[in-house]
Amino acid sequence: EDRQRLDDQRAVVRDAIGDPAAFEKCSARHRLRFLDKLLRTQRFKRAQTYELQSMGIVLGDALAEALDLKWAIVEDHHGRDPALLLPGTTVLLFPLTMISKRLEDNQMVDIVALFTAVLDQFEAIRAEAV
């Protein structure tokens, strides 16, 4: 059920880009260019939380690939959410809302800058955690 949720959200992004075959063929990190295009063309509006969070899942895939993280489901009193786990630690990263919250706060989102900033921050956290 949780895997299906992630796959369904990836499909939202794949279908929105208009070239599903290209999306499927490229690496997770290269899918950032599709996220960039969706953001630049404002394909999804601020109120489209599910769609924006779907973009967060695709961003999470790129982060997982770059940082060797694994998807996990975290459950708390608010519900169940996907997170990225640094294996062998309790360090979690929640990419689901990284895009949606910024847009809801009327912030511009530069997906490459966001990706790079998270990489840098996470590498620092990893160095302290391991």
Side-chain angles (χ1 to χ4, degrees):
E1 183 177 306
D2 294 322
R3 282 185 204 268
Q4 187 62 51
R5 173 187 174 188
L6 295 176
D7 288 343
D8 290 347
Q9 288 190 274
R10 289 179 186 108
V12 167
V13 175
R14 182 194 65 225
D15 295 344
I17 64 163
D19 191 353
F23 181 86
E24 293 297 335
K25 287 180 189 176
C26 69
S27 70
R29 190 169 185 160
H30 284 98
R31 291 178 182 170
L32 294 176
R33 68 181 177 201
F34 296 119
L35 296 182
D36 180 60
K37 180 179 179 182
L38 293 174
L39 288 166
R40 282 186 292 104
T41 60
Q42 297 180 353
R43 173 66 171 84
F44 301 124
K45 305 304 180 211
R46 280 189 303 159
Q48 291 180 280
T49 303
Y50 180 79
E51 290 82 357
L52 296 174
Q53 288 182 353
S54 296
M55 292 175 65
I57 295 300
V58 174
L59 172 61
D61 289 339
L63 292 165
E65 182 180 271
L67 295 166
D68 196 29
L69 305 175
K70 304 297 179 208
W71 281 105
I73 299 297
V74 177
E75 191 166 358
D76 62 15
H77 62 281
H78 294 293
R80 298 169 53 85
D81 284 314
L84 293 171
L85 174 67
L86 176 59
T89 74
T90 58
V91 176
L92 294 167
L93 180 65
F94 292 88
L96 180 72
T97 57
M98 285 183 177
I99 296 170
S100 63
K101 284 189 176 187
R102 284 169 174 79
L103 290 175
E104 288 167 4
D105 289 342
N106 289 317
Q107 296 177 22
M108 297 266 308
V109 178
D110 178 333
I111 198 69
V112 174
L114 176 59
F115 178 79
T116 303
V118 172
L119 285 182
D120 292 345
Q121 291 172 355
F122 205 81
E123 287 297 348
I125 290 169
R126 182 194 310 251
E128 291 177 18
V130 178

